[in-house]
Amino acid sequence: MTTPDVITPSQLIAKHSEDLSSVLPSHVHAPVWIRVAQGAVRRDPKLMKAATETPASLMVALLNAARLGLEPGTEEFYLTPRKVKGKMEVLGITGYQGIVEMMYRAGAVSSVVAECVYDSDGFDYQPGRDELPMHRIDWDSNDRGELRLVYAYARLRSGATSKVIVLNRAEINKIKASSMGSDGDYSPWRTNEAAMWLKSAVRQLRKWVPTSAEFRDQLRVDAQGIARVQAEVAAGRPRAVVLNTETGEIEDSDLDAIDAEIVDPADPWLTGERTDDPEADQ
């Protein structure tokens, strides 16, 4: 009796390359993305083991990465092995660089700043008084101490500055506690803690900055949505807005945007006055 050949994770990815390619955004070169995914699995024995034991979990993670247009197995999108009921599985986790990439891709952001603050750093920021944080680092120090704070903000193409996000260790610990797989041996919360602090900050920042190219396209054609945003700004009540990708409608978020900034509806990229590639100026 012959034993059926076991398909490797790399072969599985190749077999379903068309399915993965079909959900990739148009700007992503599918063959390169597929090779990146195969290389990520091949170079990590623990990830290879998890993908072999539970191939379905690998495909779910890769489909999520493809849908977001992020490179799997990088700091854009982690492929993390974890043990569930005695069996290894693959968990896909969007990294902070992936969130930042989606912000840039939307075209409304000219730069994103995200930094960790350590015990020996100087840090001063008071909302309403300061536009931006003052972060002082002793670059000659051999040890900056423990992680203390993390902050993030964005410069918008309109010239405005987004809401400044500042999180302390207690807030980070709450986020970590609610994060799936954060206590796993291979979780980036253990292997790359600073990166996860940065992700927590930029994830909060994402609420105030568009992260979808469709947002820009929708603002161009949805005059009613633009008028609503302009009215909010004129009334001194800037709000966060989101695009419902299922309905195609711009909706107010349920966030309290007391001192937030939003994309200026008069931004030439949003109004259609400029149609060139917004990435070209970077």
Side-chain angles (χ1 to χ4, degrees), residues 66-116:
R67 179 178 57 83
L68 297 172
L70 302 178
E71 290 192 347
T74 70
E75 289 192 344
E76 287 188 0
F77 193 92
Y78 296 102
L79 294 176
T80 306
R82 61 170 183 165
K83 185 169 287 188
V84 179
K85 297 181 179 179
K87 199 170 188 178
M88 295 296 291
E89 291 185 353
V90 179
L91 175 66
I93 301 175
T94 304
Y96 85 94
Q97 290 187 1
I99 298 175
V100 171
E101 165 64 19
M102 289 188 284
M103 290 179 183
Y104 281 123
R105 196 185 301 161
V109 169
S110 61
S111 64
V112 177
V113 176
E115 295 286 348
C116 289

Side-chain angles (χ1 to χ4, degrees), residues 57-69:
S57 68
L58 172 66
M59 294 309 300
V60 168
L62 291 179
L63 282 167
N64 281 331
R67 179 178 57 83
L68 297 172

